[in-house]
Amino acid sequence: MSTSSSRKALNIGNINPHLLKAQYAVRGELAQRSEVYRQQLATGGDELSFDTVISANIGNPQQLDQQPITFFRQVLSILEYPALLEKEGLFPEDVRERARVLLKEVGSVGAYSQSQGCLGIRRSVAEFIEARDGYPADPRDIFLTAGASSGVNTILNTICSHPATGVLIPIPQYPLYTATLALTNATPVPYFLDEATAWSTDAEQIRSEISKAKAAGTDLKCLVVINPGNPTGATLTESGIEAVIALAAEERLVIMADEVYQTNVYSGEFHSFKKVLRNMQKASPGVYDEVELVSFHSVSKGMVGECGHRGGYFELVGFDPEVQAQIYKLVSIFLCPPVIGQCLVGLMVNPPAPGSPSYELYQKEYNSIFEGLKLRSRALYDAFLRMEGVKCQDPLGAMYLFPTITIPTAAVEKAQEEGRRPDEFYCLRLLEATGICVIPGSGFGQREGEWHFRTTFLAPGVDWVGRLEKFHEGFMNEYR
Amino acid sequence: MSTSSSRKALNIGNINPHLLKAQYAVRGELAQRSEVYRQQLATGGDELSFDTVISANIGNPQQLDQQPITFFRQVLSILEYPALLEKEGLFPEDVRERARVLLKEVGSVGAYSQSQGCLGIRRSVAEFIEARDGYPADPRDIFLTAGASSGVNTILNTICSHPATGVLIPIPQYPLYTATLALTNATPVPYFLDEATAWSTDAEQIRSEISKAKAAGTDLKCLVVINPGNPTGATLTESGIEAVIALAAEERLVIMADEVYQTNVYSGEFHSFKKVLRNMQKASPGVYDEVELVSFHSVSKGMVGECGHRGGYFELVGFDPEVQAQIYKLVSIFLCPPVIGQCLVGLMVNPPAPGSPSYELYQKEYNSIFEGLKLRSRALYDAFLRMEGVKCQDPLGAMYLFPTITIPTAAVEKAQEEGRRPDEFYCLRLLEATGICVIPGSGFGQREGEWHFRTTFLAPGVDWVGRLEKFHEGFMNEYR
């Protein structure tokens, strides 16, 4: 504790204890150190043994190789400066037309929208969901958000009513969930994904955690599923989703389906929870009518990759109208999500149609990003297979690989000396030696005695993969 | 309670009780009803007795008359679509140059920035503060935010550690404060502003509330000041600020200075809390060194008026570094504020310099918005003076007037019959009769037995002021 603490009204001893408890490794010590290196390199930085920092710690496509989709950005540039509409020939006609429609809907992108998001854009989202799932969606059930994180925060703040409120969380998980549960002072109830079967979700495993949690007095309210998985990349099958929904119905759990990677599927097919739920409701009338589902989506991932624009939405399915009104009140306190981000959601769900002037370029850009991600995921996966003591599941979806690493006893001891977890020690060494920033598995959760790290496969080229392999070899030689 | 409640896992009886308690009138029943009217009018709406809805409930300049500043939007359009840089002659040279600088700093506006906001933009903010106050500012103490609301939420979530944590709130106040305190389950400690002296802040009044709160076992941690005031428009004098700072130092209270209306000053001068604090520290070495201050600013208000872009910042002054690290962790969980909004903060604090190609237009637009606000505030004020039983303070700052209204006994009784507060009844009648949406004083807090409403003076023209006067006359005649 710093000596200054006691002189201040606010100090580490008296601030919100739930904040102290929250952990968020994705932007923690390693990420901060990588930023320091980046600045050092920008101002000379001769003392470092690498010449670039590779931020593989976070799914931030446009910080790395990924270029924005031209159609989206052309429309946004007009929304920012509508006088560009008067310049004939500057943009394709469908860009101008789309900008006109969006401007009519939002007025100015500098004005607050409705708290739930602009109605016209929510209508587009509803049409997208309907086209994707084959079942209708209602714009009144759609809330536009500042990225999916903000939506998750809204829902958990609604659900969590007391410290014993339990939320089932996959392990490994994206740490937004445990961090937000720490802040809301509720109880995360972990269930393990099965690494041996491509990180699948096993309803029986969840059922057994439910029994234990109930016995411990936890008031279980909600089940989080991340599909495709973060950090695992796993993609759930239709029957896997059915099993989860059946369990939620039986146990009266709200399902939070984090579906932000729904277009990042490199093998198999994405099935939305909404579609599978509606199928089940149709097949067994009355049995699943009361299921409560929230589905999250975002402009940050997929081939859009517009993290910085903070756009997203969630759809409420089967919620009590009184609860929905409280969710509306909560979002209204913070006025509205960024309007440019809302417009980008509108563009993502309604891209150029076949035959329109921008269609061909859009398809080309979209496919090239998709193929690039797929290729890089394979290249990284192949490298892991070559590395001593490293195991990795096939890359199926999302933007990440989450390999298991074997850490030699000497390294584990060395880590303990430094007061660090072994995987943290490994990742720190990797960063210091190569400038590659990845996140230790302990930031996401892993089984006792296992060690992993999460890396994105967004960084361009293969040079950095070579650096990673070389580091690993040296590390194993040093501590073997 | 709806009959469906019991069938749902989540219902009004078991969600977060702090959310149930939170109130936010600015976007409450009246605002929602006005949206319904707006949609009715858009699709025919013959049954209504007015032909436009006037949203005077919220400071949303670009929904009404205010045009965006050209320079800002030209730069933003390039940031969205950098290929526009290649079009010679499309934009003035200083617009292009500024876009190049910002692109260099953020990379792509579609990439996540650092959680605290882009460093280059935080440097610009620090330079702005230094030029404004005559004292240095450190970019490391500046956090860019998604509007001031998000910053207030961050700080209150850090400060509030248990239900007895007390935060002093001016009454009337902007209801973000009480709503957020309800959500964090802490104790708002109201202190009254003095309507008779232009809604001034009286340190002695605060002192007396402090004594009462302490006697009641409240653990006072923080004092909120809104300057210029919302909803009052009051602007604090330098000596008024000194008195507040001295009190905070004596009582070891963190000062939250909501200074989002710092350029909306129509009479007198704006003094920042930071400048006054540094003056006091200089004049009395050692006495005020430990004062902790957070100052909030935003792109939503002033002559910028870019609410929809959700941009803002706060500066921490005198905070314990360990607490500051926790604040960093909290914002990092939600990744980063919208990057386009960050860029707009950078533009707001560093507008075109004299002599640059865009300077003249910028000045013209800025001054015309300022003069328009000033004129409309006087016109509305004059109308209030003409109205029976209405009293109003001189418009000094911000975007609002907060007149006192006398509500006849018959109307009070009628309101009680409907289960409404008298001011709510008045505002609802006004909306139904005229389409003008204002917010009852009870949404902001007022002394027992007094009634007010808050109206912005953003709506163009004077026609709606006439509608308001006519309604008031009819209301008084009906219930006198």
Side-chain angles (χ1 to χ4, degrees):
Chain A
M1 203 175 292
S2 81
T3 50
S4 68
S5 289
S6 56
R7 286 187 284 132
K8 293 293 178 184
L10 269 195
N11 57 61
I12 203 81
N14 69 8
I15 62 170
N16 180 356
H18 311 311
L19 172 55
L20 290 180
K21 223 172 50 185
Q23 294 192 337
Y24 187 70
V26 176
R27 292 232 158 174
E29 184 193 351
L30 281 148
Q32 289 178 58
R33 192 178 292 200
S34 77
E35 284 303 323
V36 173
Y37 289 157
R38 195 188 302 279
Q39 280 165 43
Q40 269 177 268
L41 289 171
T43 56
D46 293 343
E47 67 277 28
L48 298 174
S49 56
F50 46 85
D51 56 10
T52 47
V53 167
I54 304 285
S55 299
N57 57 305
I58 187 162
N60 192 5
Q62 294 187 21
Q63 188 193 30
L64 297 163
D65 195 28
Q66 193 167 314
Q67 293 303 305
I69 302 269
T70 302
F71 177 79
F72 296 167
R73 291 300 198 87
Q74 287 179 330
V75 174
L76 296 186
S77 74
I78 298 177
L79 299 183
E80 287 293 2
Y81 190 55
L84 292 177
L85 276 174
E86 288 148 33
K87 308 276 173 194
E88 292 293 334
L90 186 62
F91 292 121
E93 195 41 53
D94 56 344
V95 167
R96 294 152 58 96
E97 181 50 27
R98 185 64 68 85
R100 277 189 213 104
V101 169
L102 283 166
L103 280 171
K104 189 151 178 266
E105 282 168 356
V106 301
S108 164
V109 294
Y112 293 125
S113 71
Q114 292 178 39
S115 295
Q116 205 172 329
C118 166
L119 179 62
I121 296 171
R122 286 187 281 126
R123 281 199 190 109
S124 300
V125 172
E127 285 159 16
F128 157 79
I129 293 172
E130 182 160 351
R132 184 193 66 189
D133 296 341
Y135 293 102
D138 188 331
R140 287 170 297 185
D141 297 330
I142 289 156
F143 286 67
L144 303 184
T145 60
S149 304
S150 155
V152 166
N153 189 46
T154 297
I155 298 300
L156 287 178
N157 269 284
T158 304
I159 292 178
C160 297
S161 61
H162 58 114
T165 302
V167 177
L168 285 148
I169 301 285
I171 295 296
Q173 54 122 15
Y174 177 55
L176 167 67
Y177 293 95
T178 41
T180 310
L181 288 172
L183 291 171
T184 54
N185 192 26
T187 303
V189 178
Y191 66 89
F192 283 98
L193 303 176
D194 184 28
E195 184 163 9
T197 56
W199 295 110
S200 68
T201 300
D202 173 8
E204 285 318 304
Q205 220 279 310
I206 301 176
R207 204 177 296 274
S208 118
E209 295 303 334
I210 290 174
S211 305
K212 281 189 262 174
K214 280 182 175 171
T218 304
D219 177 20
L220 281 176
K221 273 279 173 299
C222 176
L223 164 63
V224 173
V225 182
I226 311 176
N227 178 46
N230 177 2
T232 65
T235 307
L236 283 171
T237 60
E238 215 165 344
S239 64
I241 296 173
E242 281 169 5
V244 170
I245 292 174
L247 176 62
E250 192 185 313
E251 297 285 345
R252 292 167 54 89
L253 299 172
V254 177
I255 302 169
M256 286 175 74
D258 179 337
E259 298 179 320
V260 301
Y261 296 99
Q262 58 188 264
T263 58
N264 293 106
V265 178
Y266 313 110
S267 174
E269 199 187 333
F270 169 75
H271 302 281
S272 77
F273 267 76
K274 170 92 178 288
K275 179 191 76 178
V276 177
L277 171 63
R278 291 292 189 236
N279 283 344
M280 290 168 79
Q281 288 172 335
K282 205 164 136 187
S284 312
V287 182
Y288 302 106
D289 287 5
E290 298 305 329
V291 170
E292 291 146 86
L293 164 70
V294 202
S295 161
F296 300 88
H297 196 14
S298 161
V299 301
S300 299
K301 310 301 171 186
M303 276 38 80
V304 186
E306 295 275 7
C307 312
H309 276 101
R310 316 306 298 120
Y313 75 79
F314 60 80
E315 183 190 15
L316 298 177
V317 181
F319 268 61
D320 185 295
E322 287 180 321
V323 172
Q324 201 153 326
Q326 294 293 320
I327 292 172
Y328 170 84
K329 182 177 73 181
L330 178 52
V331 299
S332 82
I333 296 171
F334 302 101
L335 299 162
C336 73
V339 176
I340 274 284
Q342 295 185 37
C343 293
L344 197 44
V345 172
L347 293 166
M348 171 179 78
V349 298
N350 186 15
S356 65
S358 298
Y359 178 72
E360 214 168 303
L361 179 62
Y362 170 78
Q363 278 300 111
K364 192 170 147 249
E365 291 174 338
Y366 189 96
N367 293 339
S368 138
I369 294 169
F370 183 82
E371 292 305 328
L373 287 169
K374 200 169 162 178
L375 266 175
R376 288 203 297 273
S377 73
R378 295 305 308 186
L380 192 55
Y381 170 71
D382 290 343
F384 286 142
L385 295 191
R386 287 193 296 269
M387 285 157 65
E388 180 188 353
V390 173
K391 279 186 299 185
C392 190
Q393 294 297 311
D394 244 23
L396 303 177
M399 297 180 167
Y400 314 102
L401 290 178
F402 194 65
T404 307
I405 44 175
T406 312
I407 298 187
T409 314
V412 172
E413 284 163 6
K414 182 82 180 150
Q416 277 160 351
E417 272 172 41
E418 295 184 11
R420 295 191 178 276
R421 297 195 186 88
D423 54 351
E424 206 178 84
F425 175 78
Y426 177 93
C427 294
L428 201 55
R429 282 302 180 87
L430 172 66
L431 175 61
E432 285 164 353
T434 66
I436 300 170
C437 185
V438 300
I439 305 293
S442 45
F444 304 89
Q446 54 200 348
R447 286 181 192 277
E448 186 72 29
E450 286 187 355
W451 308 111
H452 297 81
F453 63 83
R454 186 189 82 166
T455 173
T456 71
F457 41 77
L458 296 166
V462 289
D463 155 68
W464 70 282
V465 180
R467 268 146 81 182
L468 178 56
E469 277 191 81
K470 195 163 152 251
F471 161 79
H472 185 76
E473 196 184 334
F475 183 88
M476 296 305 279
N477 287 338
E478 186 176 349
Y479 293 107
R480 186 182 297 111
Chain B
M1 205 176 291
S2 81
T3 50
S4 68
S5 289
S6 54
R7 287 186 284 131
K8 293 293 177 184
L10 269 196
N11 57 62
I12 203 80
N14 69 7
I15 62 170
N16 180 356
H18 311 310
L19 173 55
L20 289 180
K21 223 173 50 186
Q23 295 193 335
Y24 187 70
V26 175
R27 293 229 158 176
E29 183 192 353
L30 281 148
Q32 289 180 57
R33 192 178 293 200
S34 77
E35 284 303 323
V36 173
Y37 289 158
R38 195 189 302 279
Q39 280 166 43
Q40 269 178 270
L41 288 171
T43 55
D46 294 344
E47 66 278 24
L48 298 174
S49 56
F50 45 86
D51 54 11
T52 48
V53 167
I54 304 285
S55 299
N57 58 304
I58 188 161
N60 192 5
Q62 293 186 22
Q63 188 194 31
L64 297 164
D65 196 27
Q66 194 167 312
Q67 292 303 304
I69 301 269
T70 302
F71 176 80
F72 295 168
R73 292 299 198 88
Q74 286 179 331
V75 174
L76 296 187
S77 73
I78 298 176
L79 299 183
E80 287 293 2
Y81 190 55
L84 292 176
L85 276 174
E86 288 149 32
K87 308 275 173 194
E88 292 292 336
L90 187 62
F91 292 121
E93 195 40 53
D94 56 344
V95 167
R96 294 152 57 96
E97 180 49 28
R98 185 64 68 86
R100 277 189 213 103
V101 170
L102 282 166
L103 280 172
K104 190 151 177 267
E105 283 168 355
V106 301
S108 164
V109 294
Y112 293 125
S113 70
Q114 291 177 37
S115 295
Q116 205 172 330
C118 166
L119 179 62
I121 296 172
R122 286 188 281 126
R123 280 199 190 108
S124 299
V125 172
E127 285 159 17
F128 157 78
I129 293 172
E130 181 159 350
R132 184 193 67 189
D133 296 342
Y135 293 100
D138 188 330
R140 287 170 297 184
D141 298 329
I142 289 157
F143 287 67
L144 303 183
T145 60
S149 304
S150 155
V152 166
N153 188 48
T154 297
I155 297 300
L156 287 178
N157 270 286
T158 304
I159 292 178
C160 297
S161 61
H162 57 116
T165 302
V167 176
L168 285 147
I169 301 286
I171 296 295
Q173 53 122 13
Y174 177 56
L176 166 67
Y177 293 95
T178 42
T180 311
L181 288 172
L183 292 171
T184 54
N185 193 25
T187 303
V189 178
Y191 65 90
F192 282 98
L193 303 175
D194 184 26
E195 183 163 9
T197 57
W199 295 110
S200 68
T201 300
D202 174 9
E204 284 317 304
Q205 220 279 310
I206 301 176
R207 204 177 296 274
S208 117
E209 296 302 334
I210 291 175
S211 306
K212 279 189 262 175
K214 280 183 175 170
T218 304
D219 177 19
L220 282 176
K221 272 279 172 300
C222 177
L223 165 62
V224 173
V225 183
I226 311 176
N227 179 46
N230 176 4
T232 66
T235 307
L236 282 171
T237 60
E238 216 165 344
S239 64
I241 295 173
E242 281 169 4
V244 169
I245 293 175
L247 176 63
E250 192 184 312
E251 297 285 346
R252 293 167 54 87
L253 299 171
V254 177
I255 302 169
M256 286 175 73
D258 179 337
E259 298 179 319
V260 301
Y261 296 99
Q262 59 188 262
T263 58
N264 293 106
V265 177
Y266 313 110
S267 173
E269 199 187 333
F270 169 75
H271 302 281
S272 78
F273 267 76
K274 169 93 178 287
K275 180 190 76 179
V276 177
L277 171 63
R278 291 292 189 236
N279 283 343
M280 291 167 79
Q281 287 172 335
K282 204 164 140 187
S284 313
V287 183
Y288 302 106
D289 287 5
E290 299 304 330
V291 170
E292 292 146 87
L293 164 70
V294 201
S295 161
F296 300 88
H297 196 14
S298 160
V299 300
S300 300
K301 311 300 171 187
M303 275 39 80
V304 185
E306 295 275 7
C307 312
H309 276 101
R310 315 308 297 120
Y313 74 81
F314 60 80
E315 184 190 15
L316 298 177
V317 181
F319 268 60
D320 185 294
E322 288 181 320
V323 172
Q324 201 153 326
Q326 293 294 320
I327 293 173
Y328 170 84
K329 182 176 72 182
L330 179 52
V331 299
S332 81
I333 296 172
F334 303 101
L335 298 163
C336 73
V339 176
I340 272 284
Q342 295 184 38
C343 293
L344 197 44
V345 172
L347 293 165
M348 173 180 77
V349 298
N350 186 16
S356 65
S358 298
Y359 178 72
E360 214 168 301
L361 179 62
Y362 170 77
Q363 277 301 109
K364 192 170 147 248
E365 290 174 337
Y366 189 97
N367 293 338
S368 138
I369 294 169
F370 183 83
E371 293 304 328
L373 287 170
K374 199 169 163 177
L375 265 176
R376 288 204 297 273
S377 73
R378 295 306 307 186
L380 191 56
Y381 171 72
D382 290 343
F384 287 142
L385 294 191
R386 287 193 297 269
M387 283 157 65
E388 181 187 351
V390 173
K391 280 186 298 187
C392 190
Q393 295 297 311
D394 244 22
L396 302 178
M399 297 180 167
Y400 314 102
L401 290 178
F402 195 65
T404 308
I405 44 176
T406 311
I407 298 188
T409 314
V412 172
E413 285 164 5
K414 182 82 180 149
Q416 277 160 349
E417 272 172 41
E418 295 184 11
R420 295 189 178 279
R421 295 194 187 90
D423 54 351
E424 205 178 84
F425 175 78
Y426 178 94
C427 294
L428 200 54
R429 282 303 180 86
L430 172 65
L431 175 62
E432 286 164 353
T434 66
I436 300 169
C437 185
V438 300
I439 305 292
S442 44
F444 304 90
Q446 55 199 350
R447 287 182 192 275
E448 185 72 31
E450 286 187 353
W451 309 108
H452 297 81
F453 63 84
R454 186 189 84 165
T455 173
T456 71
F457 41 77
L458 296 167
V462 288
D463 155 68
W464 69 282
V465 180
R467 267 147 81 181
L468 178 57
E469 276 192 81
K470 195 162 153 252
F471 161 80
H472 185 77
E473 197 184 333
F475 183 89
M476 295 305 278
N477 286 338
E478 186 178 349
Y479 293 105
R480 187 184 294 112

